Amino acid sequence: MFKEKTIVLGITGSVAAYKAADLASRLVQAGAAVEVIMTESAQKFIAPLTLRALTNRQPVTSMWQDANKFSIEHVSLADAADAVLIAPATANTIARLACGLADDILSSTVLATRAPVIIAPAMNCNMYENAATQANIAALKSRGFTFVEPESGRLACGAEGKGRLAAAEVILAALDAVLNRKNDLAGRSIVVTAGGTREPLDPVRYVGNRSSGKMGYALAAAARDRGASVRLVSTVDMPDSSGLSVIRVETAAQMLEAVRDAVKGADALIMAAAVADFRPSTVAGDKIKKGATSLDLKLEPTPDILSEVKGDFVRVGFAAETVDLIGNAKKKLAGKNLDLIVANDVTAPDSSFGAETNMVTLLFKDGHAEDLPLMPKRAVAEKILDYLAVRLS
């Protein structure tokens, strides 16, 4: 997917710098010409020789280096790039780019290039969450830079939190999406739902599910990037919602009303949200105290949004199942009169709620099916939108 593309890979001084070697190798295997730029601090973590062996090109480490044809005239490197990928990107590098500095070969290249820039941060969780870093990220996003969110987990410093470099598959999927950005949904209006609904039990507690909303947000962002006007009905907040019309809801009933309003004039509805099937029959006005030895709950069905919302638009649903994946998905496909249903086994470790990846089967109204391999949720979203673009045309 990167054949004959020139990718400038910027590596900065993070302990995750060793992971850039894997990225470089994968890009070369995919047919890209990889020009590596290493900051001075990056060379403390990984040797330029490693990147030279993987790319068959001498990494650029200085503004005044003679070994590479792009070294002295950094504008040439900026012009040659089809994309600039900075992975890992430290808080310091992000801050310098946000300020528009050009005092080394990496910052100079970024400032001079007209190619898209993709940034994959990696740093201590407190540094990432610091207001200054978040402001710098927001500033760069507003200028069109693409960010690949870091993962949460145990960091090299021993802390637990968000700051670990995203998986190579996720970074490369983001790079692919940017390089091969389509505009085939321009002029289309698409409604997407995301997250799991919360059905209140009392003012404090609720009945819900483990849906993170990541798949819905991936669909909304991908549709936006392909030119669509997107209305996102969501129960959760996500960082990159720029360019989306977001309607926040909590319950299934609220989502039903929001979707009914949003689909007016829409070309498609993609129901990626995990809507609770049941809700408490009565909601306590005050917090239920723990005094009793047991608590009996009476539940009633929630409204079936896909069945109740009518209109002349393409209908895409999701089936998150734990048993008989295909059988249950086919029943929903027919019972809800869908054009496409996306079947997902949520017991699979890399396809569970909250995972960054997904492995799904697409079941179509005409009876055919397509099994997709394990891939980042954004890549799954692009596959769904590929179908939608053809269907709408």
Side-chain angles (χ1 to χ4, degrees), residues 15-16 21 29 31 41 97 142 213 225 236 255 315 317 330 337 346 354 379:
V15 70
Q29 291 177 54
S41 55
L97 295 179
S142 71
D225 293 344
V236 294
M255 182 170 284
R315 303 159 67 87
K330 285 182 176 179
N337 191 29
V346 293

Side-chain angles (χ1 to χ4, degrees), residues 311-335:
D312 184 19
F313 46 80
V314 180
R315 303 159 67 87
V316 178
F318 277 70
E321 303 291 344
T322 59
V323 294
D324 193 12
L325 176 66
I326 302 302
N328 285 324
K330 285 182 176 179
K331 289 177 183 177
K332 290 183 179 180
L333 178 68

Side-chain angles (χ1 to χ4, degrees), residues 104-128:
D104 68 0
I105 184 62
L106 179 58
S107 58
S108 296
T109 300
V110 171
L111 200 62
T113 192
R114 292 184 179 273
V117 180
I118 300 92
I119 298 177
M123 65 194 74
N124 170 269
C125 52
N126 294 332
M127 294 175 70
Y128 180 73

